[in-house]
Amino acid sequence: AAFGHVPEAIAAFSEAVGRDPKSAPIRLNFAVALAAGGRPDLGRRQAEEAQKLDPGYARAKQFLASLRK
């Protein structure tokens, strides 16, 4: 998401998670949008959920590692 559109991205991914809660990629995109919007704790939770849904999802693991820096 472009930084100027973070609130819209958060709203869109929140809605998408509601429609498809078992989608790891949607949850990860929601996580990235939340972190970009200044809500890294909520983003971390979504990324952790993405990793639970798909334990081999490398992008979720990478994103979580980037939050720890």
Side-chain angles (χ1 to χ4, degrees):
F3 286 106
H5 299 286
V6 170
E8 293 92 339
I10 289 171
F13 285 120
S14 178
E15 187 178 314
V17 166
R19 285 194 311 266
D20 191 0
K22 294 184 189 265
S23 170
I26 290 173
R27 287 213 182 248
L28 183 59
N29 284 321
F30 189 29
V32 171
L34 286 165
R39 301 166 78 184
D41 291 343
L42 292 175
R44 178 179 289 107
R45 277 189 244 149
Q46 288 298 323
E48 288 169 347
E49 189 61 31
Q51 198 169 29
K52 282 183 203 164
L53 290 166
D54 183 356
Y57 193 25
R59 290 184 68 192
K61 185 181 271 188
Q62 291 166 349
F63 180 71
L64 285 165
S66 77
L67 289 177
R68 291 186 194 104
K69 290 181 181 176

